[in-house]
């Protein structure tokens, strides 16, 4: 790959020696000064991969487009792993120029005092945020503290859909799922195709996590005024009840009490009739040799009746500028190229979801992915990503963990009200322990 070097975690300190370490010229306040124009000198920008993206994708969507316009810019890639977690890099005084991450990771980078507020650079570059999905921009602004700062730009996003195996529905003479269905309707189908036939156990609907069921209503986790979990209510009860109904489908639970099934059971075994999945993750992770093992298709992600037309909360992948970089203008040029119509079009054709609102990116989706030809691509986009659950707090992850752990309690026979109450108690205990630190 031209203009790119990859660093594994085991060689972090050696490989990063001499890379950008925030050593730009400082003024008398100690602040790093940015360059006033793009340098023509050969430079290497260090890019840290903190969210899922392959070497090939980095090369295709970042390295090559940038090299085409700026042959003097090359890249040094550092991947997250043992010894290369964000805290490790900061502790070593080695923070990359730009970071590929997600909106939800913004608080971590803010706590480490890494991100540059992009507001000034966007203004000086006449950068048009109106090209982007408003929900993605709102999400970044909320994660950036909600006070006007914007620490990242969205570059692509996850969007979920329901996959279904036509052969199972045909076998049991049950109609296929359709776009725009609610969870009750999907559960009706699941009950008809969950059964054992000729010694083969078929699962009608693989259970989603409870927190993701809550995504469909953008439910908050914590009351910021009290720093207490806020889940023992009718809104979260709806998500817990839906999970309980999935689990209680006759013959759904086996002796192992397994709740969630994935691509292997769906594509390889052909025993799962329906399951929900982030589509770009599926496209990136599926082995093309098994992609057509069963006859399958997409429909839009189901949701509750009152929220049809929307799916999970928006989940953009983002790119962040390190405030200590001495190449701020160059990094912003990389951001501009990554979010250009040209690159976003190629990204969409490759099975990633563009963050731009330009309509033809959706019709182009997956055009270069052979096993997506003939699929209901339009259906993927009929459940629009929702705004994130605002307000956000630093304790959300603790509550989310307690919520999802409750699924096992439901599978063990616990009733919804008890599981919900105990999940909130566990979440509050975890918050209290964190507050003591």
């Amino acid at each position: 790959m031209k203009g790119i070097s990859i660093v594994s975690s085991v060689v972090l300190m050696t490989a990063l020696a001499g890379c950008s370490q925030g050593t730009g010229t400082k003024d008398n306040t100690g602040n790093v000064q940015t360059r006033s124009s793009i340098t023509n000198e050969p430079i290497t920008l260090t890019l840290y991969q903190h969210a899922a993206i392959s070497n090939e994708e980095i090369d295709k969507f970042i390295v090559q487009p940038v090299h085409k316009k700026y042959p003097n810019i090359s890249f040094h890639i550092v991947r997250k792993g043992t010894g290369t977690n964000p805290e490790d890099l900061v502790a070593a005084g080695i923070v990359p120029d730009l970071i590929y991450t997600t909106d939800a990771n913004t608080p971590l980078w803010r706590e480490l005092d890494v991100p540059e507020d992009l507001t000034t650079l966007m203004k000086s570059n006449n950068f048009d945020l109106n090209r982007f999905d408003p929900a993605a921009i709102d999400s970044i602004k909320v994660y950036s503290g909600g006070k006007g700062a914007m620490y990242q730009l969205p570059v692509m996003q996850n969007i979920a859909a329901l996959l279904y195996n036509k052969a199972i529905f045909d076998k049991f003479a049950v109609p296929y799922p359709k776009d725009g269905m609610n969870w009750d309707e999907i559960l009706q189908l699941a009950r008809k195709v969950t059964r054992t036939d000729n010694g083969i156990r078929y699962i009608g609907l693989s259970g989603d996590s409870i927190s993701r069921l809550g995504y469909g209503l953008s439910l908050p986790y914590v009351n910021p005024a009290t720093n207490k979990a806020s889940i023992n209510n009718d809104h979260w009860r709806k998500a817990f009840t839906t999970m309980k109904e999935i689990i209680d489908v006759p013959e759904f639970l086996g002796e192992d009490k397994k709740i969630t099934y994935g691509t292997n059971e769906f594509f390889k075994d052909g025993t799962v009739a329906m399951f929900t999945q982030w589509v770009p993750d599926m496209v990136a992770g599926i082995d093309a040799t098994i992609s057509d093992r069963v006859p399958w298709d997409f429909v839009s992600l189901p949701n509750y009746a009152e929220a049809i037309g929307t799916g999970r909360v928006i989940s953009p992948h983002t790119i962040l500028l390190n405030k200590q970089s001495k190449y701020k203008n160059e990094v912003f040029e990389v951001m501009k190229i990554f979010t250009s119509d040209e690159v976003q079009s190629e990204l969409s054709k490759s099975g990633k979801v563009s963050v731009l609102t330009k309509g033809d990116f959706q019709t182009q989706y997956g055009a270069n992915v052979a096993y997506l030809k003939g699929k209901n691509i339009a259906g993927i986009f009929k459940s629009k990503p929702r705004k994130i659950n605002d307000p956000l707090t630093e304790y959300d992850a603790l509550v989310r963990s307690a919520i999802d752990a409750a699924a096992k309690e439901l599978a063990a026979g616990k009733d919804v009200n008890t599981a919900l109450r105990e999940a909130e108690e566990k979440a509050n205990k975890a918050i209290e322990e964190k507050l003591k630190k």
Side-chain angles (χ1 to χ4, degrees), residues 241-315:
T241 300
T242 301
M243 175 59 82
K244 181 65 172 173
E245 290 176 344
I246 293 171
I247 290 170
D248 285 349
V249 169
E251 296 192 63
F252 174 79
L253 285 178
E255 293 182 2
D256 58 2
K257 303 295 183 183
K258 187 173 181 178
I259 300 170
T260 303
Y261 299 82
T263 53
N264 280 341
E265 292 90 352
F266 185 84
F267 289 103
K268 285 186 177 180
D269 301 340
T271 56
V272 172
M274 297 179 286
F275 83 111
T276 57
Q277 176 67 298
W278 293 115
V279 178
D281 286 354
M282 184 215 76
V283 173
I286 188 175
D287 183 344
T289 63
I290 69 168
S291 60
D292 291 321
R293 187 170 291 186
V294 299
W296 65 278
D297 208 342
F298 297 109
V299 292
S300 62
L301 186 72
N303 206 341
Y304 303 98
E306 67 269 33
I308 293 300
T310 64
R312 293 175 180 169
V313 294
I314 193 153
S315 178

Side-chain angles (χ1 to χ4, degrees), residues 171-182:
K171 181 179 181 66
F172 300 120
V174 175
Y176 300 153
K178 299 182 293 185
D179 292 330
M181 298 184 81
N182 62 46

